[in-house]
Amino acid sequence: MGTSKQTQSLINQIAQKCEYWEKDQNVYEGSEKEVEILTLHLLDILGISQENIKAPYQCGASKKVDFAAKFESSVQTSTFAKPDLIIECKSPSISFTDETKKYADTVFQLQGYLRGIKCKSVSYGIIFNGLNVQLFRKHGMLSYPISPILSVNQKNISQTIKYLQQNIQTNNNKRGTIITVWNNKGGVGKTTIAQSLAILLNEKITYGNKEKNRVLLVDYDHNQGDLTANCKMDPSEGETKRLLDADYLKKLTTEDINNSLHSFTNIPVKGRKPRFSFEVKVLRADQELSRLSSEYIKDFAANERLALRKLCLRMAKNFDYIVIDAPPNYEQSIFSKEAVSAADCILPVALYQNDNSIRNYARAAIDHIQSTQKIRKDGGPYSLGIWFNRWRSTWIATVTRNSVKKQIDAASNTKNQIELKRIFYKNKGRELRKIVETADIARSIMDAKGLPGVVRFIRARSAFDFLLNEFSD
Ligand SMILES: Nc1ncnc2c1ncn2[C@@H]1O[C@H](COP(=O)(O)OP(=O)(O)OP(=O)(O)O)[C@@H](O)[C@H]1O
Ligand SMILES: [Mg+2]
């Protein structure tokens, strides 16, 4: 970064250009080029020097992003490699508001770049059109917004720059991603998928790490406690509540956290190494929370306080992934609300050919996730694409697709329709995401060993292959 005077001048240049474009809508053909110049200003303001920028940058076979940047110069080589950040620029005529398809396409484009083979080292993505900027985080193959759509006009630019500076951290401060498995509807496979996903993620190694992913499972369905039971554990008496309380009073210690997490693992029997070994930590369902009156829970876990979100952010420093198993019935369940508001990403699950679970999720995505985003003010939670669980290989997708289409058509405005299309369909086609029905998954949870199918049967594991590809390479 130059002197603060130089920086201030760059900030002014961006803000003035933004005001000019906003006021007169005076956008002409060369505007995208001008946005690219402003992007260089923006990178300078963020403390990234010229020699650490490559424009354009080849992300993969046929994917070129406008800018790639590194936070620090590499000592050994002079060639540009392993960027930390990429930026896709658009002309100011492409407006960044949730309502427009062009905005949705820009996000889709950035996410495609972020998945590129030459972007494994990238942790952040930015879209910028000279008027607005939005920041995305990348973790494994996942990418999700970590800012709302921010403005760079005179009034907002200082705040926007501050937000970007605070949220683009060096690798030392990296934290894990918080994922909530959710549908408003019960019995769709949330618990099964949360547990299986956690185990499979534990086998992977995130780029840049040496060890396998550290994964924490949070059972936030305190009334049922299915996940806790599936991990062969008993629910706790107040363990989660104590963590929430201590965190709220700013008295939470690392020791408190460590004492509350329990290992779910398959230990070698008589020295025989298990076929697929794993270890995940579990924060068990809490019977005390389940018993407490709704009034008390409201006090400690009220929506706007984001109690679970804060606790998870704290715990995420020691994990690569936190997977939360949410209860159904959002409207009635404070725990369901808390689980949704705690997430970076929501992983939605629905049942095949079940109009209700599709309608439920369509409504939930619009009503609940969007309203939580307004409270959070950090761009999250972000709904990933929906997975249709218990799919039989002999089934034909048309019925489900028709049911999905009905929900999209019924959505009241374009904004919601765009969002539902993104959530329900894979890529730009009308392809659905499926997890096949594999008896092994169910049977093995029930059987004597009590270990989930994914650590015992190849068939159960392969049922999750496509889901896992969305998370990790
Ligand atoms: N892909 C699958 N193949 C076979 N059985 C499955 C599959 N997914 C889930 N099941 C079975 O379906 C039942 C319900 O699953 P699960 O408990 O995971 O649903 P849930 O959404 O968590 O339910 P709740 O809303 O009550 O918490 C379980 O018996 C589980 O073993
Ligand atoms: Mg469940």
Side-chain angles (χ1 to χ4, degrees):
M1 214 183 312
T3 63
S4 62
K5 211 169 169 186
Q6 276 169 338
T7 306
Q8 197 51 52
S9 142
L10 293 174
I11 292 175
N12 289 343
Q13 284 178 52
I14 297 175
Q16 275 161 18
K17 203 75 216 183
C18 171
E19 302 259 297
Y20 169 71
W21 279 321
E22 264 181 353
K23 210 179 290 156
D24 303 332
Q25 312 227 302
N26 204 352
V27 181
Y28 44 91
E29 245 172 76
S31 299
E32 187 173 334
K33 277 274 161 286
E34 285 199 57
V35 173
E36 288 177 12
I37 295 167
L38 297 182
T39 305
L40 285 171
H41 292 353
L42 192 65
L43 286 169
D44 194 343
I45 295 163
L46 293 173
I48 296 166
S49 54
Q50 293 284 339
E51 72 266 21
N52 288 333
I53 298 170
K54 175 124 176 85
Y57 177 74
Q58 191 89 38
C59 300
S62 57
K63 300 167 172 173
K64 259 189 191 163
V65 68
D66 294 324
F67 290 90
K70 291 167 68 71
F71 297 149
E72 276 159 38
S73 349
S74 37
V75 201
Q76 300 101 333
T77 78
S78 55
T79 51
F80 185 94
K82 298 189 182 169
D84 298 295
L85 164 76
I86 61 171
I87 303 187
E88 177 58 27
C89 298
K90 288 285 173 241
S91 145
S93 60
I94 309 254
S95 96
F96 287 179
T97 59
D98 284 336
E99 284 87 47
T100 63
K101 179 160 181 311
K102 281 184 175 167
Y103 163 69
D105 287 344
T106 306
V107 173
F108 187 74
Q109 189 185 1
L110 178 80
Q111 291 184 312
Y113 291 153
L114 286 168
R115 291 177 74 88
I117 186 117
K118 292 271 174 59
C119 282
K120 287 194 178 183
S121 58
V122 173
S123 308
Y124 300 98
I126 286 179
I127 54 173
F128 182 47
N129 67 353
L131 303 170
N132 295 103
V133 60
Q134 191 175 22
L135 179 63
F136 291 74
R137 180 171 185 229
K138 184 187 178 234
H139 182 182
M141 283 290 134
L142 278 186
S143 60
Y144 50 90
I146 54 167
S147 86
I149 299 167
L150 301 164
S151 161
V152 296
N153 65 18
Q154 207 69 259
K155 183 167 161 258
N156 296 300
I157 190 160
S158 313
Q159 231 185 330
T160 296
I161 300 281
K162 209 165 137 198
Y163 192 102
L164 295 177
Q165 281 167 339
Q166 279 171 353
N167 286 281
I168 299 178
Q169 305 161 326
T170 54
N171 287 350
N172 306 336
N173 301 325
K174 262 195 191 158
R175 65 163 178 88
T177 294
I178 305 162
I179 298 145
T180 295
V181 185
W182 188 57
N183 192 328
N184 217 8
K185 185 114 191 105
V188 293
K190 298 183 290 296
T191 303
T192 307
I193 288 169
Q195 190 190 30
S196 306
L197 176 67
I199 290 169
L200 293 171
L201 282 173
N202 172 243
E203 293 177 3
K204 298 273 186 175
I205 299 176
T206 298
Y207 180 91
N209 288 356
K210 290 195 178 69
E211 308 281 326
K212 293 201 291 185
N213 286 325
R214 299 154 304 166
V215 184
L216 170 65
L217 266 170
V218 176
D219 190 346
Y220 222 64
D221 190 348
H222 301 295
N223 302 336
Q224 298 195 89
D226 290 344
L227 180 66
T228 304
N230 286 357
C231 294
K232 299 178 285 183
M233 294 174 187
D234 293 324
S236 79
E237 273 298 335
E239 225 160 39
T240 306
K241 180 179 169 291
R242 278 195 292 279
L243 293 183
L244 292 169
D245 289 357
D247 190 42
Y248 180 65
L249 299 169
K250 300 206 173 2
K251 283 184 179 158
L252 183 64
T253 66
T254 309
E255 209 187 347
D256 294 335
I257 295 176
N258 291 340
N259 288 339
S260 307
L261 307 184
H262 302 268
S263 263
F264 175 48
T265 177
N266 51 352
I267 303 159
V269 184
K270 289 185 197 142
R272 268 180 56 204
K273 205 173 175 290
R275 195 150 159 222
F276 303 110
S277 57
F278 73 94
E279 180 179 13
V280 300
K281 295 287 180 190
V282 181
L283 180 60
R284 298 173 297 170
D286 182 344
Q287 283 188 323
E288 201 178 327
L289 274 180
S290 147
R291 274 195 310 271
L292 285 169
S293 77
S294 55
E295 273 317 295
Y296 177 89
I297 292 166
K298 255 189 215 144
D299 198 32
F300 272 83
N303 241 345
E304 312 244 346
R305 283 212 188 142
L306 300 167
L308 181 63
R309 169 80 181 161
K310 282 174 190 152
L311 177 61
C312 284
L313 282 175
R314 172 84 191 260
M315 296 193 294
K317 286 179 189 152
N318 298 317
F319 289 95
D320 297 288
Y321 293 93
I322 296 182
V323 181
I324 304 174
D325 182 26
N329 303 322
Y330 186 94
E331 285 88 350
Q332 288 86 39
S333 167
I334 181 79
F335 301 132
S336 191
K337 286 182 182 146
E338 277 281 282
V340 167
S341 61
D344 295 314
C345 299
I346 306 281
L347 175 64
V349 178
L351 280 190
Y352 168 78
Q353 288 193 6
N354 182 329
D355 261 2
N356 289 344
S357 79
I358 294 167
R359 194 194 57 242
N360 242 302
Y361 196 74
R363 231 187 44 210
I366 302 307
D367 295 352
H368 306 326
I369 296 187
Q370 287 182 7
S371 62
T372 310
Q373 286 168 350
K374 286 203 184 90
I375 296 166
R376 281 258 300 264
K377 297 188 191 81
D378 61 4
Y382 176 73
S383 178
L384 302 171
I386 198 161
W387 287 80
F388 288 92
N389 189 26
R390 310 197 68 162
W391 193 281
R392 286 198 189 146
S393 48
T394 51
W395 280 342
I396 298 162
T398 321
V399 185
T400 305
R401 275 208 304 263
N402 288 345
S403 174
V404 165
K405 190 170 179 304
K406 215 159 69 189
Q407 295 309 321
I408 295 173
D409 291 344
S412 53
N413 56 39
T414 347
K415 175 188 173 185
N416 292 347
Q417 283 179 354
I418 292 170
E419 180 66 355
L420 291 180
K421 264 188 201 149
R422 178 184 76 73
I423 292 171
F424 278 109
Y425 298 136
K426 215 166 136 184
N427 303 327
K428 286 188 172 174
R430 290 185 60 203
E431 208 188 324
L432 306 170
R433 300 174 192 82
K434 303 164 199 166
I435 297 172
V436 291
E437 159 103 16
T438 310
D440 294 340
I441 297 176
R443 175 157 53 86
S444 50
I445 279 175
M446 302 300 189
D447 78 4
K449 283 192 184 169
L451 281 172
V454 289
V455 290
R456 306 192 60 218
F457 306 106
I458 297 286
R459 259 177 71 207
R461 292 170 76 77
S462 52
F464 288 96
D465 278 352
F466 290 110
L467 172 64
L468 206 64
N469 286 346
E470 304 261 312
F471 285 81
S472 193
D473 53 358

